Amino acid sequence: MTNLLTKTNQGMKKYTECTPYARRAIRVSFQIIFLLVLSTQLLVAGSLKKQSASETKISQSIVDITVKGKVTDNKGAGLPGVSVKQKGANKSTITDVQGNYVLTVSGENPVLVFSFIGFQSQEIAVENKTVINVVLVENASNLQEVVVIGYGTQKRADVTSAVASVKAKEFVKGPVLDAGQLLQGKVAGLTIGSPSGNPTDGTQILLRGNTTLFGANSSPLVLIDGVPGDLKTVAPEDIEAIDVLKDGSAAAIYGVRGSNGVIIITTKRANGNISNSVDYSGYASTQVISKKLDMLTAQDYRDQIAAGIRNASWDNGSSTDWLKETTRTPLTQVHNLTMRGGNNTTNYLVSANYRALEGIFRKSDNKTFTGKIDVNHNMFDNKLKFNFGLLNQTNNYTKVTGGGSFNGWIYRQSVIRNPTEPIYNSSGGFYEQTGNFDYENPLAYLEEGDGESKNVNSRLNATISYKPVRDLKLSALFSYSRFNGNDGYSETKEHISNIKNGLNGYASVGSRLSIDRLTEWTAEYSKTIKNHRVVALAGYGYQENVTTGMDASNQNFPTDIFGYNNLGLGEGIKNARATLGSYKSETNLISYFGRLNYSYKDKYLLLASLRREGASQLYGANHPYGNFWGLSGGWRITKENFMKNQELFDDIKLRLGYGITGSQPREQFLATQLLKYGEYVYSNGMWTKTIEPDQNQNPFIRWEEKHETNLGLDFSLLKGRISGNADLYNRQINRLLYRFQVPSTPPNVVDFTWANVGKMENKGLELMLNFVPVKSKKLVWNTSFNFSTNKNKLVSLSNQLYKTTSNHFETGWTGPPITTFTHSTTIGGKIGNFYGYKVIDIDNNGKWIYEGRDGQPVSYDNFAHSFEDKKVIGNGLPKWYGGWNNSFSYKNFDLNITMRGAFGYQILNFQRMYMENPAIQNFNTLKSAYTPVFGKAVLNVPALEYNSYYVEDGDFWKVDNITFGYNFNKFKSSYIKGARIYLSSLNTLTITKYKGLDPEVSRLGLDPGIDGRDKYPSTRSFTMGVNLNF
Amino acid sequence: MKKLKKNYLVITAFVSVLGITACDKLKDTHYDKIITNNFKPSKSDLPALIGAGYTQWRLILLDWNGLWRAQELSGDQIVIPKRPNGWFDDGVYQRIQKHTWTTDDDVVRQTWLRTYKGIANCNRIISDIETGRIEIAEGKEATLAELKVVRASYYAILCDFYGNVPIVTKFDVPLGFLPEQNSRLEVFNFIVKEITDNIPLLSSANDITTYGKFNKWAAYTLLAKMYLNAQVYTGTPRWAECIAACDAVINSGAGYKLESSQKNVFVTENQNSKEIIFALPLDEDYTNNWNAFDFHMQTLQPENQATYNLKMSPWGGMCAIPQFISSFDESDARYQNNWIKGQQYTSTGQMLYVGQGDFKDKPLNFINELPGIDKGESVHGLRLGKFEIKMGSTNVLSNDYPVFRYADILMMKAECLLRTGQPDAAAVIVTEVRQRNFTDPSKAVVTGAQLQQGSSYAYGLKDAVNNQFSTEGGADIQYGRFLDELAWEFNQEGHRRTDMIRFGAFTKKSWLSHAATNNPSRTIFPIPRTEIEKNNNLVQNPGY
């Protein structure tokens, strides 16, 4: 043992450069695990005896009966892949594609168990029958459904915390941006926004409100088959199910990354139960802008000039619909091919997925090809199992800006451009007005800027699990993920930035490489003794990331022909205008964890977990490690004796949980003071770069910690016709990380310090109700309602170092020419308050009348426009959300309708704030700029400003996804086994009083509810799709 | 039992393999950052470390919404009116001119933020040198003295701008330290003491080793400035001490003298000017942050890109207040050289036309007219041209910015003589400064009697947009003529607010769209609201 340890330590030194201290710690840590495993062995020894006894009994039996039959659903369709087992023996098979099976059983009084995911299991005694046909009933109550809870699964019935599970067939259909959109409107408390129509953008996920002030990670932890990843790296068609761990007691096993919830994605994997098959699915979609702004047209300009309200110099003689020029009718296509094969010992799944998304703007696209191989191999009577996964994803998209894909600026310019201007000038170049600020020909941007981003995501993962004895499972997971991105972008000499900034051709390239290594080792011991069932899990996890990258730009090229492919040719190096940069960072996360599940008679359920975790971001801090634990219990009331004789309820379960999760800072080295090379100084005849302080130190920096209590109720009655759940939660997030404003006076070198300040509270209620109002042979109607509320409050804001003397702080930014903050968060108050001047009326001259500090009206000229004049004029966070999902199936037709809404909140409409003032002459304005304000007088103030007139109610109800499908299930050909065609639309209809484009705006952070000027407009899409099964 | 043994083996192997991969060492490699405590500076790092004491100066003065803007846009010479292409923003330029700035306005905040950063830098370097973390073999005392004077210069800015500010000289204070506020008098006394204590240790050289640095003479100039404004800062005049400090520079023998033409001080390659005492070195290749030094971008019309073959299209906002321009003698070379006026041409001599607004397609001809701050068309107002605009400039000019120059020393001395009953001696110096600007020598001559007269500036509201007019004139300003001399000589140099306050004109006079506030509290800026909210030791200046 000693030798072995020494050897391992040497190995460690070589690869991970651990210090002797670390070695000691490792020794201690795996000694703990060793002891744990050892102690379980005592129990294992006991069980072994028992097992061998039963084996003996089986071997003594001699009678064999061969049974065959067909398993169908209630419509008579054969069910492939149904597990058929002899109870108490290890004889089993699965049904073929028609639902037929053959199984030879033996022993006394054999009983067959038919089980299939989504259906109620059935037990049938064989007696003397040789043909047993079974109709499986769909399991509406989902109690047998398997729920993924992290490092393992649980039956829905056993779950003691708030976990939502959405299966593939319930997903939103259509050209979804990423896997997140599949869940839109499906889970109470999980708000998924898709505020942008840009095909390279993703969804915004908010679970139970804001949990961070953005000092730490703000997005939920996404696990794809156990490996942390990005929603974009998984093809939506590859997903089998998505589970969402909502409360802290469930997420605590994921410790530090669990604060914003955990989204567990299970992809379709190889499975011995499914015979060889090929599935194809594909769809094509197109989109339209869901709403356009009502801007002045060229004719409106001319009418205004004729009426004398606009100077004739603004008529440039043409008529151009700028938005029409920059947009198109896009075509999106998605194809997915999945092949499965193999047998119980070795099986595989191979899939290829191609997504070619087009946006409504020209040169706005996103193409992704994902190839995936998943192989299982079982050895030694299924004791040793291997799973290998290989994923490779290539992604390309067009860039019309250096910094991203599509440039929102092009949209803004299409909107504000003078409609009387021509696209081209008389000499054939783009017509530009260089004298006007922030005013550039959008078509010049589209056509004179060009680039591409090429990204490759690859992942190798392997899981080895071994069951040395029946109740013990040892697993080791390894994963290596690699993201490699290469960007190139160039602007021709005709590009406006060259005309305006004298670049004379510009090009840039950049590359990024990010490598994640992960290993997780777990030992799971499960044991049932009489009425007691115990599952114990212990594990160790290590994750590291290395990110490197470089960027370079050059300008002043002799020719445009090379684009960004010959960067050295530019003259920018000579005149010091070229830029070069490179970076590297390395982080890791180390964790030890354990979990215990206990149930007594399936009636009393208990789950406890503990995770200890260290993060390199906290290097140099006083407490780099944190402990995160969770405890939850459940009581299945229907299992009590007094409920035995009732038939109304299938299940009632009460749950109570408490859990602590965390979030580490995003940035590294916040505990220490940093220096950087900064400005140049002229010293003794030479220009020298100075060494300047970069950051204030804060050794007190720690984990963010979320303490969450969850009280839940699950119920199902009338054999699943009515079911649902309710959850009440209270989240207290302590030690929130924030870019805390500190005095600019010494010793501070900058006026902010990253510190754990403040405490935030989220309280809310989530309800989910499922009904099956109609369930006949031909017609089935499933309907479900979800409802959630959330109250988000900032309880305090102070830390060891500083206390604010004011009770508020400002966030959000209007952007020029109005330069002020948009929101103020008051300590003890709600998050998301808009804070600005409150307009109560307009005078006869078209000047605002405000509500003054004392509540009395103040005229425009007497209003100081200072901070003290501002008031709370709205709140950007919805008070409640609702959803209503329906699915109908009639014979072979099916119809799904997803609806959702958000209520009780306001939106700051930037479009109106910047474009609804007739004083603006150098940009186009909304027609409504010339409509009398409050029906009294046309606005007549020279200054744009942020006031309550532009803050509107955002309440909306959206009919989002409508899908209408038809299933073909009788084929003459023996090759094709199933087919389905469908039509669907996304973002179909919005009912709202909001005057902007889409009331579904960003709700993240401390400045929710801003409808920005440069936002890629959201779209309405129409899709036609087909699924084929061979 | 055999099976059990096998299982032990498997488990042992499992745990051992885990041991190989397991690690609990948190990563601490900082590939592209410097952790201060791990940094051991070498001798070659010294200029980079000490130089950090100076870099804030140019950012404080010239960067967007910096000290220069606060000094000039609040005065009677320069304005940013609304233009056809914008420049209204959220009314901030209007508020600066009308003296209705709020405690949140960027132009009120930036000087505080940037200046204290400079002070923190100096404190840190001084502390590192004193504790030996930065080792200096020779000239340690001189380096410390220089850094203390740089720090005093930052406090001088704060003293003039906010008055009552906290004095912090230590770097090694507990985390979370909140400084106490000092009175303007305490700040003044601190600055004077720091300068006088350290002057003897400073270099008396005036060459490349001290260019852009505080040598003995730059320190005397700073001291003279403090004394010149002592009455405003402390209530007690210190005219004699000011004269003594000026005389130290005049008699230094370090080679300072007036350039034969004022223009020479402001050319692109002005680093060899004998008139410059303390300059902020600028270079389009090195000091190239956006807005580093871009008067030309802020003042020229976009069409003027062709005049100077500029790399970028200018933004066209800032111009002269017509009343001020009208106060010039048209034969004054400074009227000719400091302002861009009349018809504009391309570099090859083609006429330029207006691209936008009511004058679209009319000749681009800068006229000395401006309807008011709420409306300025492309042709309105003369443009700032004191700093030479090099052909082919980028958005950053390479002219070094003279913070202190010899003419300043002469005019400070003259002002003190005038104020201490020696008007004729003052007139001799003023005449000396004027001489280079007039071809007719008689026009250059000023008498003591003239200097005691009022100002010739036609003060009064001149706002045609809002139809607000008044006639005030400047006759009632004591030594108004001297204030005019300062206006003509030091326009566009970031002096104006301080000078107007010293002559009592800042709050009592109206110009363009600015109506006299008669509110003495406007002579200092408010402490930024955000700073008071972070440090409850700070008390807001009276009247805010």
Side-chain angles (χ1 to χ4, degrees), chain A residues 989-1000:
Chain A
L989 175 74
T990 306
I991 301 163
T992 184
K993 281 185 181 164
Y994 178 62
K995 293 174 189 161
L997 297 184
D998 187 346
E1000 204 168 9

PDB file of all heavy atoms in Angstrom, chain A residues 989-1000:
ATOM      1  N   LEU A 989     -48.602  34.522 -31.859  1.00  0.00           N
ATOM      2  CA  LEU A 989     -49.479  35.671 -31.626  1.00  0.00           C
ATOM      3  C   LEU A 989     -49.183  36.245 -30.256  1.00  0.00           C
ATOM      4  O   LEU A 989     -49.011  35.504 -29.296  1.00  0.00           O
ATOM      5  CB  LEU A 989     -50.940  35.176 -31.696  1.00  0.00           C
ATOM      6  CG  LEU A 989     -52.043  36.164 -31.361  1.00  0.00           C
ATOM      7  CD1 LEU A 989     -52.202  37.147 -32.504  1.00  0.00           C
ATOM      8  CD2 LEU A 989     -53.354  35.421 -31.127  1.00  0.00           C
ATOM      9  N   THR A 990     -49.135  37.569 -30.155  1.00  0.00           N
ATOM     10  CA  THR A 990     -48.899  38.196 -28.860  1.00  0.00           C
ATOM     11  C   THR A 990     -50.017  39.177 -28.569  1.00  0.00           C
ATOM     12  O   THR A 990     -50.316  40.029 -29.400  1.00  0.00           O
ATOM     13  CB  THR A 990     -47.553  38.949 -28.860  1.00  0.00           C
ATOM     14  OG1 THR A 990     -46.531  38.051 -29.270  1.00  0.00           O
ATOM     15  CG2 THR A 990     -47.218  39.477 -27.482  1.00  0.00           C
ATOM     16  N   ILE A 991     -50.607  39.025 -27.417  1.00  0.00           N
ATOM     17  CA  ILE A 991     -51.638  39.974 -26.999  1.00  0.00           C
ATOM     18  C   ILE A 991     -51.012  40.869 -25.942  1.00  0.00           C
ATOM     19  O   ILE A 991     -50.611  40.393 -24.876  1.00  0.00           O
ATOM     20  CB  ILE A 991     -52.863  39.229 -26.431  1.00  0.00           C
ATOM     21  CG1 ILE A 991     -53.418  38.283 -27.502  1.00  0.00           C
ATOM     22  CG2 ILE A 991     -53.921  40.212 -25.949  1.00  0.00           C
ATOM     23  CD1 ILE A 991     -54.340  37.228 -26.949  1.00  0.00           C
ATOM     24  N   THR A 992     -50.892  42.159 -26.248  1.00  0.00           N
ATOM     25  CA  THR A 992     -50.245  43.075 -25.303  1.00  0.00           C
ATOM     26  C   THR A 992     -50.607  44.505 -25.639  1.00  0.00           C
ATOM     27  O   THR A 992     -50.987  44.804 -26.776  1.00  0.00           O
ATOM     28  CB  THR A 992     -48.711  42.909 -25.342  1.00  0.00           C
ATOM     29  OG1 THR A 992     -48.123  43.750 -24.351  1.00  0.00           O
ATOM     30  CG2 THR A 992     -48.134  43.281 -26.697  1.00  0.00           C
ATOM     31  N   LYS A 993     -50.471  45.389 -24.647  1.00  0.00           N
ATOM     32  CA  LYS A 993     -50.672  46.822 -24.905  1.00  0.00           C
ATOM     33  C   LYS A 993     -49.339  47.509 -25.152  1.00  0.00           C
ATOM     34  O   LYS A 993     -49.289  48.694 -25.451  1.00  0.00           O
ATOM     35  CB  LYS A 993     -51.355  47.470 -23.702  1.00  0.00           C
ATOM     36  CG  LYS A 993     -52.850  47.213 -23.666  1.00  0.00           C
ATOM     37  CD  LYS A 993     -53.480  47.977 -22.512  1.00  0.00           C
ATOM     38  CE  LYS A 993     -54.970  47.716 -22.455  1.00  0.00           C
ATOM     39  NZ  LYS A 993     -55.537  48.124 -21.164  1.00  0.00           N
ATOM     40  N   TYR A 994     -48.255  46.770 -24.987  1.00  0.00           N
ATOM     41  CA  TYR A 994     -46.929  47.351 -25.151  1.00  0.00           C
ATOM     42  C   TYR A 994     -46.740  47.837 -26.582  1.00  0.00           C
ATOM     43  O   TYR A 994     -47.091  47.142 -27.536  1.00  0.00           O
ATOM     44  CB  TYR A 994     -45.867  46.302 -24.783  1.00  0.00           C
ATOM     45  CG  TYR A 994     -44.464  46.789 -24.971  1.00  0.00           C
ATOM     46  CD1 TYR A 994     -44.004  47.884 -24.239  1.00  0.00           C
ATOM     47  CD2 TYR A 994     -43.607  46.189 -25.877  1.00  0.00           C
ATOM     48  CE1 TYR A 994     -42.722  48.351 -24.423  1.00  0.00           C
ATOM     49  CE2 TYR A 994     -42.313  46.646 -26.056  1.00  0.00           C
ATOM     50  CZ  TYR A 994     -41.877  47.732 -25.333  1.00  0.00           C
ATOM     51  OH  TYR A 994     -40.612  48.202 -25.511  1.00  0.00           O
ATOM     52  N   LYS A 995     -46.195  49.051 -26.728  1.00  0.00           N
ATOM     53  CA  LYS A 995     -46.089  49.656 -28.059  1.00  0.00           C
ATOM     54  C   LYS A 995     -44.829  49.228 -28.811  1.00  0.00           C
ATOM     55  O   LYS A 995     -44.691  49.510 -29.993  1.00  0.00           O
ATOM     56  CB  LYS A 995     -46.100  51.178 -27.936  1.00  0.00           C
ATOM     57  CG  LYS A 995     -47.427  51.738 -27.459  1.00  0.00           C
ATOM     58  CD  LYS A 995     -47.307  53.243 -27.232  1.00  0.00           C
ATOM     59  CE  LYS A 995     -48.553  53.798 -26.557  1.00  0.00           C
ATOM     60  NZ  LYS A 995     -48.291  55.092 -25.930  1.00  0.00           N
ATOM     61  N   GLY A 996     -43.885  48.633 -28.123  1.00  0.00           N
ATOM     62  CA  GLY A 996     -42.643  48.214 -28.782  1.00  0.00           C
ATOM     63  C   GLY A 996     -42.825  46.935 -29.567  1.00  0.00           C
ATOM     64  O   GLY A 996     -43.944  46.475 -29.797  1.00  0.00           O
ATOM     65  N   LEU A 997     -41.709  46.362 -29.983  1.00  0.00           N
ATOM     66  CA  LEU A 997     -41.779  45.210 -30.867  1.00  0.00           C
ATOM     67  C   LEU A 997     -42.220  43.945 -30.145  1.00  0.00           C
ATOM     68  O   LEU A 997     -43.059  43.214 -30.627  1.00  0.00           O
ATOM     69  CB  LEU A 997     -40.404  44.956 -31.502  1.00  0.00           C
ATOM     70  CG  LEU A 997     -39.873  46.070 -32.386  1.00  0.00           C
ATOM     71  CD1 LEU A 997     -38.565  45.648 -33.018  1.00  0.00           C
ATOM     72  CD2 LEU A 997     -40.880  46.428 -33.461  1.00  0.00           C
ATOM     73  N   ASP A 998     -41.643  43.673 -29.020  1.00  0.00           N
ATOM     74  CA  ASP A 998     -41.900  42.407 -28.345  1.00  0.00           C
ATOM     75  C   ASP A 998     -41.740  42.640 -26.837  1.00  0.00           C
ATOM     76  O   ASP A 998     -40.695  43.096 -26.394  1.00  0.00           O
ATOM     77  CB  ASP A 998     -40.880  41.362 -28.836  1.00  0.00           C
ATOM     78  CG  ASP A 998     -41.180  39.964 -28.300  1.00  0.00           C
ATOM     79  OD1 ASP A 998     -41.990  39.847 -27.355  1.00  0.00           O
ATOM     80  OD2 ASP A 998     -40.607  38.998 -28.812  1.00  0.00           O
ATOM     81  N   PRO A 999     -42.785  42.364 -26.079  1.00  0.00           N
ATOM     82  CA  PRO A 999     -42.700  42.632 -24.642  1.00  0.00           C
ATOM     83  C   PRO A 999     -41.808  41.636 -23.912  1.00  0.00           C
ATOM     84  O   PRO A 999     -41.595  41.763 -22.714  1.00  0.00           O
ATOM     85  CB  PRO A 999     -44.151  42.508 -24.179  1.00  0.00           C
ATOM     86  CG  PRO A 999     -44.780  41.604 -25.171  1.00  0.00           C
ATOM     87  CD  PRO A 999     -44.092  41.841 -26.482  1.00  0.00           C
ATOM     88  N   GLU A1000     -41.310  40.645 -24.614  1.00  0.00           N
ATOM     89  CA  GLU A1000     -40.456  39.663 -23.973  1.00  0.00           C
ATOM     90  C   GLU A1000     -39.019  40.173 -24.082  1.00  0.00           C
ATOM     91  O   GLU A1000     -38.305  39.879 -25.029  1.00  0.00           O
ATOM     92  CB  GLU A1000     -40.612  38.321 -24.668  1.00  0.00           C
ATOM     93  CG  GLU A1000     -40.242  37.191 -23.755  1.00  0.00           C
ATOM     94  CD  GLU A1000     -40.662  35.847 -24.305  1.00  0.00           C
ATOM     95  OE1 GLU A1000     -41.096  35.792 -25.473  1.00  0.00           O
ATOM     96  OE2 GLU A1000     -40.544  34.870 -23.574  1.00  0.00           O
TER      97      GLU A1000
END
